[in-house]
Amino acid sequence: MAKHALLQRLGIERPILLAPMAGSGGTPELAAAVSNAGGLGAWGGAYSKPDDIAAAIRRIRQLTARPFNINLFAGGYDTDRRVDPLPMLEIMREAHARLGLPPPALPPVPSDPFDEQLEAVLEARPPVFSFTFGIPASAQIAALKRRGIAVSGTATTLAEARQLEQAGIDAIVAQGAEAGAHRGTFAAPFEDSMIPLATLVREIGASVKLPVIASGGIMDGRDVAAALKLGAAAVQLGTAFLPCPESGAPPAYKRALLDARTDTTVITRAFSGRPARGLTNAFIAMVEGQEDAILPFRQQNDLTRPMRNASGQQGVVDFISLWAGQGVARSRTLPAADLVNILIGESAPEIVRA
């Protein structure tokens, strides 16, 4: 599929895609703003109940008549692994005390909600659906396609991209090692899947017939142009949009991004139980050296949620998961539509050639 054919399939005018950012950062307002600017807005429903997913889709449709993307985690739940919770609860007790919270309570090991969440997506029929952490069942992909929904999945290696191509989807999001937030790796240990974006885009583009969406550390028009020159059909940005007023990230989180002068990001499992890239902070330091105490995804995520929420509400960055890509030092604060327009202007020569 040619580059312009991907934009046509997605129903968008500009090769700028918003990363879904499940959690506080992504909002229906941010998704709609990017879509209204001619890109593809996105909202991540991975932590949401089916009714909340349906409500978010309704809200996005109130704000835009243009295409948008709904994203879910298609795997990643480590429900069979058991960890003694006492060491982690002791770490969390200290964190809670520093925030003035009561002692932590151990949440249950959650079941994978993907099947029920996907039913809500199928019912609502968003124009685009994307997934990460794995691959949905073939029957589920077929159900999406029957409803006319464009489908994309995340790959961090060429082997994963080939599996996605065999699954019959429409496009591949190539997540480079530079990307912020959770690693989408599903076919090998994440340590073996940390491939720089430029290398990953070239490898997938040379071996897979599906269009490639480049994701990881992209912050400005120069990055957009470089990715398109490598053969990507579009780019996906998350960190760049977090400081936008439409983003739901806490003010302290936005300040941390804008104040970053160098790349201080690290890969950590401390907040969720799954490897993710973010700015280093006090909680990551508290867990360092005690990684064996980290609970499985997403029990660890549920355990740290009260801490993260309180830290954001108190304006303290020490206990927030400050997800960010390696280009964080180039963060800027603009309304989402203005940022889309600036990205296009900065990369205009390459977009014209694409």
Side-chain angles (χ1 to χ4, degrees):
M1 185 185 295
K3 294 181 179 182
H4 295 296
L6 173 66
L7 302 190
Q8 185 177 12
R9 177 70 183 92
L10 298 178
I12 62 175
E13 304 158 6
R14 294 168 154 182
I16 306 294
L17 280 63
L18 173 67
M21 299 187 292
S24 63
T27 64
E29 289 74 19
L30 180 58
V34 173
S35 291
N36 284 332
L40 185 71
W43 182 80
Y47 300 122
S48 300
K49 296 179 180 178
D51 287 349
D52 296 326
I53 293 172
I57 293 173
R58 287 195 298 270
R59 176 60 177 159
I60 295 171
R61 284 187 164 129
Q62 290 173 350
L63 298 171
T64 184
R66 300 195 177 202
F68 58 90
N69 169 35
I70 299 297
N71 177 273
L72 296 175
F73 297 161
Y77 279 66
D78 196 1
T79 55
D80 294 331
R81 187 169 67 92
R82 292 293 182 266
V83 177
D84 178 2
L86 294 181
M88 181 53 61
L89 285 172
E90 188 59 35
I91 295 172
M92 294 302 303
R93 188 173 291 109
E94 179 183 348
H96 275 222
R98 291 171 64 175
L99 291 167
L101 296 174
L106 181 68
V109 176
S111 59
D112 187 341
F114 178 76
D115 290 348
E116 292 182 356
Q117 291 172 331
L118 185 63
E119 285 302 317
V121 172
L122 291 169
E123 179 68 24
R125 296 195 182 197
V128 183
F129 172 75
S130 66
F131 58 87
T132 189
F133 296 4
I135 305 177
S138 57
Q140 293 172 324
I141 292 177
L144 289 160
K145 302 299 282 290
R146 283 197 301 271
R147 287 161 175 79
I149 301 171
V151 182
S152 68
T154 300
T156 61
T157 65
L158 175 57
E160 290 176 349
R162 285 173 169 157
Q163 290 185 39
L164 290 169
E165 182 179 38
Q166 293 171 359
I169 64 173
D170 297 296
I172 294 172
V173 177
Q175 186 191 43
E178 304 90 335
H182 286 107
R183 302 298 302 159
T185 303
F186 62 88
F190 95 91
E191 296 91 344
D192 299 333
S193 307
M194 297 291 289
I195 302 172
L197 180 62
T199 301
L200 187 62
V201 169
R202 282 196 297 264
E203 287 183 350
I204 295 176
S207 302
V208 174
K209 294 180 180 179
L210 294 178
V212 177
I213 300 162
S215 177
I218 298 173
M219 296 295 291
D220 57 32
R222 289 174 299 174
D223 297 332
V224 175
L228 296 177
K229 190 173 183 178
L230 287 168
V235 297
Q236 179 173 282
L237 302 86
T239 307
F241 283 100
L242 278 171
C244 294
E246 299 93 342
S247 159
Y253 184 176
K254 294 182 180 183
R255 286 197 305 272
L257 297 174
L258 295 169
D259 289 346
R261 294 293 176 264
T262 60
D263 172 25
T264 62
T265 63
V266 296
I267 301 289
T268 181
R269 294 190 299 117
F271 288 102
S272 74
R274 185 176 176 89
R277 183 182 294 281
L279 297 173
T280 188
N281 63 6
F283 184 70
I284 293 174
M286 289 170 64
V287 177
E288 188 173 1
Q290 302 183 70
E291 286 80 7
D292 289 346
I294 296 173
L295 304 180
F297 179 84
R298 71 176 216 192
Q299 187 183 30
Q300 179 77 9
N301 191 79
D302 293 344
L303 177 64
T304 64
R305 182 177 292 112
M307 173 192 74
R308 291 181 280 118
N309 289 344
S311 190
Q313 291 164 4
Q314 295 178 25
V316 178
V317 298
D318 290 342
F319 302 99
I320 305 173
S321 48
L322 301 170
W323 301 145
Q326 287 187 327
V328 62
R330 288 177 284 134
S331 296
R332 46 191 169 180
T333 180
L334 295 161
D338 291 349
L339 179 55
V340 172
N341 290 331
I342 287 174
L343 290 169
I344 295 298
E346 291 172 341
S347 59
E350 188 58 43
I351 285 180
V352 170
R353 285 193 294 268

